[in-house]
Amino acid sequence: MTGSTAASFTADDYRARMERAARTAAEAGLAGLLVAPGPDLVWLTGYTPPAVTERLTLLVLAAGQDPVLVVPALEAPDAQKAAGASTLTLRDWTDGKDPYAATAALLDSSGRFGISDNAWALHLLALQQAVPGSSYTSLTEALPMLRAVKDAAELELMTAAGAAADATFEDIRNVPFAGRREAEVAADLDRLLRRYGHEQVDFTIVASGPNGANPHHEAGDRVIERGDMVVLDFGGLKDGYGSDTSRTVHVGEPTDEERRVHDIVREAQEAGFRAVRPGAACQDVDRAARAVIADAGYGEYFIHRTGHGIGVTTHEPPYMIEGEERSLVPGMCFSVEPGIYLPGRFGVRIEDIVTVTEDGGRRLNTTSRELVIVE
């Protein structure tokens, strides 16, 4: 994660986010939120520490209190430059002092707090010792929808990230596949994503032939051959917001079965997209896509959820999976990515990022979902 998002949002944006987070925490019965370095801190304040070290950096949020960022003194000058710095109080501490005692003074001594999932155990255990009457729950468990609904500026950045991933696919479909290693094509994807503005590439899956039956296959030394189905799944962060798209291509002419399986997945992806609308449950998207694949006789080969949220990270709540009854809300962004995986043979996955609109859904990926032939 870089600090590149800071220029896109104002101090007022960050103030509103922190106020909403503190209010939502109170509504959930929490005394406050403790936010360590990571995507939540960037989203709330615009601040990315110059390095993640053992020194404590922690944002303390509680309803009715001004937000406070506890930060090492040697990093305070950088924190003061963050876009949201003017909306909070910086409390720095120097080496040799106890940062946990300073933080404890900000906390309800018997409160229950939401804490960042990526907070170090070192810090959490020290806080528990400093405030023995306190208790903690993961921020994602307590407030899973904190970042889920994007505002207009965030949607603009998400749209641009999707367009960059689309441009990457349009270019990659024209590179040679046959006779090259998966890792070489993956390197092409990485290069293209960066060419189109990504500062961070999170994954470049190139799964050819039988490797396509592994949804999270790591691109390796297998040489791609004519006759292979190849699953491409790639994405990362552009200006701090995520892209993630999958297309399945074929090297040379496919068999009738390969076309049929691809058509089934394409129909399932369309069904999942058409299920997107305000008020629908997340599981409705999964059910719609899964029903198409199950009705075609391939249900046992669709082995993962239909989608995941995306924003300042490429995987985050909400999740499109059976049992998730949370309602879709305009501004939510998530993947719709059904697949069929035939062990030892091949796999197919088609994925778009979709945002919920006032009356349905809008795709943030618009490249062709037909089976593309590559050489």
Side-chain angles (χ1 to χ4, degrees):
M1 173 71 68
T2 75
S4 61
T5 59
S8 302
F9 302 104
T10 67
D12 286 342
D13 292 325
Y14 292 113
R15 178 185 291 107
R17 290 177 184 178
M18 286 188 279
E19 289 175 351
R20 177 159 62 88
R23 184 174 62 252
T24 306
E27 292 169 353
L30 298 175
L33 299 178
L34 307 178
V35 185
D40 291 315
L41 185 64
V42 176
W43 185 78
L44 287 163
T45 69
Y47 175 53
T48 303
V52 178
T53 72
E54 73 284 356
R55 292 184 174 94
L56 179 71
T57 295
L58 199 68
L59 175 68
V60 180
L61 296 176
Q65 299 180 22
D66 292 335
V68 177
L69 181 64
V70 178
V71 63
L74 74 169
E75 295 174 5
D78 292 299
Q80 289 169 347
K81 298 175 185 176
S86 64
T87 68
L88 50 79
T89 298
L90 288 179
R91 183 165 297 185
D92 61 10
W93 60 277
T94 57
D95 285 353
K97 303 294 184 181
D98 183 356
Y100 307 107
T103 305
L106 304 172
L107 306 183
D108 179 342
S109 61
S110 60
R112 183 167 179 77
F113 296 88
I115 189 166
S116 299
D117 297 12
N118 55 335
W120 286 22
L122 169 74
H123 300 318
L124 176 56
L125 293 171
L127 285 172
Q128 288 177 318
Q129 185 173 7
V131 192
S134 62
S135 60
Y136 303 86
T137 184
S138 77
L139 196 154
T140 293
E141 181 178 340
L143 302 179
M145 295 295 105
L146 179 63
R147 305 192 316 254
V149 178
K150 277 62 177 177
D151 62 25
E154 291 181 293
L155 287 173
E156 185 175 339
L157 290 168
M158 291 289 301
T159 300
D166 284 355
T168 295
F169 177 70
E170 294 295 355
D171 282 0
I172 202 71
R173 61 186 289 180
N174 294 314
V175 307
F177 277 71
R180 301 178 69 208
R181 291 181 172 84
E182 292 172 339
E184 294 176 292
V185 178
D188 288 340
L189 285 169
D190 186 294
R191 172 180 53 80
L192 289 167
L193 284 167
R194 295 181 191 278
R195 173 189 293 177
Y196 288 112
H198 282 64
E199 70 272 6
Q200 177 177 314
V201 176
D202 287 347
F203 45 86
T204 52
I205 294 173
V206 179
S208 63
N211 289 340
N214 176 2
H216 284 173
H217 171 71
E218 291 283 345
D221 290 333
R222 184 181 186 277
V223 176
I224 302 170
E225 302 174 354
R226 291 193 66 80
D228 279 348
M229 195 79 92
V230 185
V231 178
L232 305 173
D233 185 348
F234 50 93
L237 300 180
K238 179 182 185 298
D239 296 326
Y241 279 76
S243 70
D244 185 1
T245 189
S246 300
R247 293 292 185 263
T248 302
V249 301
H250 198 277
V251 187
E253 285 300 315
T255 65
D256 290 345
E257 181 190 20
E258 288 169 332
R259 281 194 181 278
R260 183 172 66 256
V261 171
H262 190 277
D263 283 345
I264 293 166
V265 174
R266 180 171 53 79
E267 291 168 10
Q269 207 273 344
E270 178 68 19
F273 170 69
R274 290 188 179 279
V276 175
R277 63 186 183 279
C282 292
Q283 68 180 4
D284 293 342
V285 179
D286 183 83
R287 287 174 173 178
R290 199 169 299 276
V292 173
I293 292 174
D295 289 348
Y298 289 90
E300 66 182 292
Y301 302 111
F302 181 11
I303 56 177
H304 56 72
R305 64 196 175 202
T306 292
H308 58 82
I310 185 170
V312 295
T313 58
T314 48
H315 282 214
E316 62 186 41
Y319 298 102
M320 306 301 114
I321 189 170
E322 180 66 31
E324 178 51 85
E325 298 179 350
R326 196 179 310 276
S327 295
L328 301 181
V329 176
M332 283 183 174
C333 297
F334 49 84
S335 66
V336 179
E337 51 175 306
I340 293 175
Y341 308 94
L342 302 178
R345 302 183 62 206
F346 65 89
V348 175
R349 182 164 64 257
I350 301 172
E351 173 185 14
D352 292 330
I353 299 303
V354 173
T355 185
V356 184
T357 64
E358 294 297 330
D359 58 0
R362 174 170 66 91
R363 297 181 191 270
L364 302 187
N365 297 108
T366 59
T367 55
S368 173
R369 290 172 292 282
E370 301 291 335
L371 182 57
V372 168
I373 308 302
V374 298
E375 296 301 324

